[in-house]
Amino acid sequence: EENGFEAYIVGGCVRDSILGRTPGDWDITTSASPQEVKEIFEHTVDTGIEHGTVTVLMNHEPYEVTTYRVDGKYKDHRRPNEVHFTKSLREDLLRRDFTINAMAYSHETGIVDIFGGAEDLAARRIRCVGDAGERFTEDALRILRAVRFSAQLGFSIEKKTWQALCELAPSLVHVSK
């Protein structure tokens, strides 16, 4: 932010913080390009540079910093063929799996919750961002993530998300590839 870019903690660390749980890691999303992130910070590792992710090491702690992005088409039911960087936080959050993982936070703006993630946390509910069938068709691993979050957090799975999960369960064969 001191260098003129937007930066938010995002995803599971926001979810876990709201739930009073200690986050396992801290993911950051930013309007800065991967090259700009590398120029700003002294110690970086290219961990997923083709997808916009650079790990920044500060005080011996790793922080994954990923440029806002929009996923292209998914060829293998697991990973997008390509990603396109964007300057829109909303577009970045729109590509995420569940509403409870599509929240961002910065000291400047507070919580950004475009898709009702806080409401779903309060209702103890797993719900896909957008169309559940589309989310699970893009990445079949999201089916297992829905079940895992439900079990770990004691949350129910919203009806449309559950229906899509059951219908698309056979696509789990793509997860082990």
Side-chain angles (χ1 to χ4, degrees):
E1 290 177 336
E2 291 173 5
N3 288 274
F5 300 103
E6 295 176 1
Y8 294 84
I9 60 170
V10 67
C13 59
V14 176
R15 176 199 67 231
D16 288 346
S17 294
I18 291 170
L19 291 174
R21 297 166 47 123
T22 302
D25 60 5
W26 295 92
D27 293 331
I28 299 157
T29 189
T30 182
S31 60
S33 72
Q35 188 59 40
E36 290 166 329
V37 171
K38 291 169 62 167
E39 290 170 6
I40 292 168
F41 295 98
E42 187 174 337
H43 301 290
T44 64
V45 178
D46 295 353
T47 50
I49 199 79
E50 67 280 359
H51 293 110
T53 302
V54 175
T55 298
V56 174
L57 300 168
M58 293 181 66
N59 302 319
H60 305 288
E61 291 290 327
Y63 299 88
E64 281 195 359
V65 179
T66 303
T67 302
Y68 299 160
R69 68 183 196 221
V70 176
D71 293 342
K73 299 284 185 202
Y74 284 69
K75 65 178 177 190
D76 61 359
H77 300 277
R78 277 290 298 120
R79 293 166 200 85
N81 296 351
E82 59 192 11
V83 299
H84 304 280
F85 299 138
T86 180
K87 293 295 183 186
S88 169
L89 174 62
R90 184 185 198 292
E91 286 182 340
D92 184 82
L93 296 175
L94 184 61
R95 71 176 178 79
R96 295 177 182 271
D97 54 6
F98 308 109
T99 61
I100 62 171
N101 294 333
M103 295 182 288
Y105 173 84
S106 78
H107 291 296
E108 183 75 24
T109 61
I111 292 181
V112 177
D113 180 17
I114 299 167
F115 306 107
E119 181 181 322
D120 286 337
L121 282 176
R124 304 178 56 81
R125 174 177 53 224
I126 307 296
R127 181 171 55 94
C128 283
V129 172
D131 180 77
E134 185 177 327
R135 292 285 85 81
F136 293 143
T137 298
E138 290 168 344
D139 183 352
L141 183 62
R142 291 173 173 162
I143 294 170
L144 294 178
R145 286 172 53 87
V147 173
R148 185 187 84 202
F149 287 131
S150 175
Q152 284 179 335
L153 301 173
F155 284 18
S156 65
I157 299 176
E158 178 262 343
K159 183 179 178 182
K160 289 180 182 176
T161 299
W162 179 255
Q163 289 170 335
L165 182 153
C166 291
E167 178 183 321
L168 294 167
S171 66
L172 286 170
V173 299
H174 300 288
V175 171
S176 64
K177 292 181 181 180

mmCIF file of all heavy atoms in Angstrom, residues 3 14 25 32 34 45 50 53 93 129 136 138:
data_model
loop_
_atom_site.group_PDB
_atom_site.id
_atom_site.type_symbol
_atom_site.label_atom_id
_atom_site.label_comp_id
_atom_site.label_asym_id
_atom_site.label_seq_id
_atom_site.Cartn_x
_atom_site.Cartn_y
_atom_site.Cartn_z
ATOM 1 N N ASN A 3 3.417 1.721 -1.540
ATOM 2 C CA ASN A 3 3.948 1.909 -2.883
ATOM 3 C C ASN A 3 2.845 2.187 -3.903
ATOM 4 O O ASN A 3 3.068 2.068 -5.109
ATOM 5 C CB ASN A 3 4.767 0.681 -3.288
ATOM 6 C CG ASN A 3 6.070 0.624 -2.523
ATOM 7 O OD1 ASN A 3 7.054 1.228 -2.923
ATOM 8 N ND2 ASN A 3 6.074 -0.090 -1.413
ATOM 9 N N VAL A 14 -9.006 -14.734 6.493
ATOM 10 C CA VAL A 14 -10.098 -13.835 6.876
ATOM 11 C C VAL A 14 -11.208 -14.647 7.543
ATOM 12 O O VAL A 14 -11.690 -14.296 8.622
ATOM 13 C CB VAL A 14 -10.646 -13.058 5.656
ATOM 14 C CG1 VAL A 14 -11.846 -12.202 6.049
ATOM 15 C CG2 VAL A 14 -9.549 -12.205 5.024
ATOM 16 N N ASP A 25 -2.126 -19.781 7.617
ATOM 17 C CA ASP A 25 -1.229 -18.964 6.814
ATOM 18 C C ASP A 25 -1.944 -17.668 6.445
ATOM 19 O O ASP A 25 -3.132 -17.518 6.708
ATOM 20 C CB ASP A 25 -0.745 -19.706 5.567
ATOM 21 C CG ASP A 25 -1.891 -20.129 4.648
ATOM 22 O OD1 ASP A 25 -3.066 -19.781 4.906
ATOM 23 O OD2 ASP A 25 -1.617 -20.803 3.645
ATOM 24 N N ALA A 32 -0.782 -5.031 -7.409
ATOM 25 C CA ALA A 32 0.590 -5.016 -7.936
ATOM 26 C C ALA A 32 0.848 -6.267 -8.767
ATOM 27 O O ALA A 32 0.408 -7.364 -8.411
ATOM 28 C CB ALA A 32 1.596 -4.933 -6.787
ATOM 29 N N PRO A 34 3.271 -9.328 -10.292
ATOM 30 C CA PRO A 34 4.322 -10.107 -9.621
ATOM 31 C C PRO A 34 5.682 -9.392 -9.663
ATOM 32 O O PRO A 34 6.407 -9.389 -8.673
ATOM 33 C CB PRO A 34 4.353 -11.419 -10.405
ATOM 34 C CG PRO A 34 2.976 -11.543 -10.960
ATOM 35 C CD PRO A 34 2.542 -10.142 -11.275
ATOM 36 N N VAL A 45 10.313 -15.278 -3.294
ATOM 37 C CA VAL A 45 10.492 -16.552 -3.987
ATOM 38 C C VAL A 45 9.367 -16.669 -5.007
ATOM 39 O O VAL A 45 8.189 -16.464 -4.672
ATOM 40 C CB VAL A 45 10.433 -17.741 -2.995
ATOM 41 C CG1 VAL A 45 10.578 -19.067 -3.727
ATOM 42 C CG2 VAL A 45 11.491 -17.597 -1.912
ATOM 43 N N GLU A 50 3.627 -17.910 -12.722
ATOM 44 C CA GLU A 50 2.740 -17.960 -13.892
ATOM 45 C C GLU A 50 1.283 -17.705 -13.515
ATOM 46 O O GLU A 50 0.472 -17.338 -14.342
ATOM 47 C CB GLU A 50 2.884 -19.292 -14.644
ATOM 48 C CG GLU A 50 2.392 -20.512 -13.885
ATOM 49 C CD GLU A 50 3.369 -21.044 -12.836
ATOM 50 O OE1 GLU A 50 4.474 -20.504 -12.665
ATOM 51 O OE2 GLU A 50 3.004 -22.028 -12.172
ATOM 52 N N THR A 53 1.706 -15.555 -8.277
ATOM 53 C CA THR A 53 2.024 -15.707 -6.859
ATOM 54 C C THR A 53 3.519 -15.618 -6.589
ATOM 55 O O THR A 53 4.321 -16.324 -7.199
ATOM 56 C CB THR A 53 1.481 -17.049 -6.316
ATOM 57 O OG1 THR A 53 0.079 -17.089 -6.534
ATOM 58 C CG2 THR A 53 1.767 -17.192 -4.836
ATOM 59 N N LEU A 93 -12.162 -11.880 -6.368
ATOM 60 C CA LEU A 93 -13.000 -12.603 -5.405
ATOM 61 C C LEU A 93 -14.040 -13.468 -6.106
ATOM 62 O O LEU A 93 -14.409 -14.529 -5.602
ATOM 63 C CB LEU A 93 -13.667 -11.618 -4.444
ATOM 64 C CG LEU A 93 -12.726 -10.824 -3.542
ATOM 65 C CD1 LEU A 93 -13.511 -9.801 -2.728
ATOM 66 C CD2 LEU A 93 -11.902 -11.734 -2.645
ATOM 67 N N VAL A 129 -19.540 -19.463 -4.513
ATOM 68 C CA VAL A 129 -19.618 -18.146 -5.137
ATOM 69 C C VAL A 129 -20.197 -18.382 -6.534
ATOM 70 O O VAL A 129 -19.672 -19.189 -7.299
ATOM 71 C CB VAL A 129 -18.227 -17.486 -5.250
ATOM 72 C CG1 VAL A 129 -18.296 -16.216 -6.084
ATOM 73 C CG2 VAL A 129 -17.648 -17.210 -3.875
ATOM 74 N N PHE A 136 -17.706 -26.272 -9.435
ATOM 75 C CA PHE A 136 -17.229 -27.651 -9.315
ATOM 76 C C PHE A 136 -16.748 -28.212 -10.654
ATOM 77 O O PHE A 136 -15.869 -29.070 -10.687
ATOM 78 C CB PHE A 136 -18.310 -28.545 -8.720
ATOM 79 C CG PHE A 136 -18.642 -28.217 -7.282
ATOM 80 C CD1 PHE A 136 -19.950 -28.315 -6.835
ATOM 81 C CD2 PHE A 136 -17.677 -27.818 -6.380
ATOM 82 C CE1 PHE A 136 -20.284 -28.019 -5.519
ATOM 83 C CE2 PHE A 136 -17.994 -27.522 -5.061
ATOM 84 C CZ PHE A 136 -19.299 -27.624 -4.628
ATOM 85 N N GLU A 138 -15.240 -26.380 -12.953
ATOM 86 C CA GLU A 138 -13.916 -25.781 -13.137
ATOM 87 C C GLU A 138 -12.855 -26.587 -12.406
ATOM 88 O O GLU A 138 -11.826 -26.930 -12.985
ATOM 89 C CB GLU A 138 -13.901 -24.352 -12.577
ATOM 90 C CG GLU A 138 -14.703 -23.359 -13.358
ATOM 91 C CD GLU A 138 -14.888 -22.051 -12.612
ATOM 92 O OE1 GLU A 138 -14.659 -21.976 -11.384
ATOM 93 O OE2 GLU A 138 -15.279 -21.078 -13.276
#
